[in-house]
Amino acid sequence: VFVFATTDAQKVLPTILSRTQRYDFRRIQVEVIVALLRKIADADGITIEDDALLMIARKADGSARDAESIFDQAVAYSGMTVETSRLREALNLIDLDFYFEVSEAISAREAKRAFDLSGEIISRGYDIEEFITGLLEHFRNILTVSITNSTKLLEVSRVHQDRYSNHAKQFVESDLLRLIRLGQNA
């Protein structure tokens, strides 16, 4: 048995393809990872908030192995009770509420406040690239809600889904597309 792995399946010659079995691997969905981590936590007697599990699953970016590794780090840092705020601190992650503050400043056209928030990113020691990536995802979430009038495609907690529903009303689709383009260029 030979295993041939590629990210460019379209470049594989037809003679090789005709003699193989093809398996397309995809990222694991966030809710599946959350369920897996919940099962592990319950089996090990670890108390962990649902938002913390969601945060770990999103940080793992579709990888169960990475999610379990981050989960182990969280338990090592926090002990048998893992709180979302301590996990965010341990992983040095930016709180979703912070992204809402930034987008509120932008929608209100408060340039000074936006610059002050940018300064906080630096002073808190956050990774600029991670901040921009998170901000892009935040604007994509707003755009998704704006276009679909639904939050079912968002991988966030219920509280944040409600907040996105209200927040989407503050933006026009063209402004969101422009902001996403600016973020991608940054």
Side-chain angles (χ1 to χ4, degrees), residues 158-174:
R158 288 269 179 245
V159 173
H160 287 113
Q161 285 180 352
D162 295 339
R163 196 161 178 194
Y164 273 115
S165 290
N166 295 327
H167 203 62
K169 297 169 188 166
Q170 298 176 9
F171 289 93
V172 179
E173 287 177 31
S174 60

Side-chain angles (χ1 to χ4, degrees), residues 33-57 67-76 78-88 91:
I33 293 175
V34 167
L36 170 69
L37 295 177
R38 172 58 65 200
K39 184 178 177 181
I40 293 169
D42 291 345
D44 292 344
I46 298 167
T47 304
I48 185 166
E49 297 174 355
D50 289 338
D51 283 348
L53 290 175
L54 183 62
M55 189 181 305
I56 292 170
E68 289 177 12
S69 176
I70 295 167
F71 179 80
D72 288 342
Q73 291 173 17
V75 172
S78 298
M80 297 299 281
T81 302
V82 180
E83 297 173 354
T84 306
S85 58
R86 284 202 31 102
L87 177 63
R88 188 175 293 112
L91 299 176

Side-chain angles (χ1 to χ4, degrees), residues 94-147:
I94 301 170
D95 187 10
L96 192 54
D97 294 333
F98 188 81
Y99 292 117
F100 277 106
E101 284 186 54
V102 172
S103 60
E104 286 169 3
I106 291 170
S107 73
R109 306 211 189 294
E110 295 177 1
K112 182 187 180 323
R113 185 170 166 221
F115 274 104
D116 290 342
L117 292 169
S118 298
E120 278 189 50
I121 297 294
I122 305 296
S123 67
R124 291 182 185 179
Y126 293 129
D127 181 355
I128 299 294
E129 194 172 321
E130 189 172 317
F131 167 72
I132 291 174
T133 301
L135 190 61
L136 279 170
E137 182 180 351
H138 176 69
F139 283 127
R140 276 193 300 268
N141 286 344
I142 296 171
L143 181 64
T144 300
V145 173
S146 177
I147 290 172

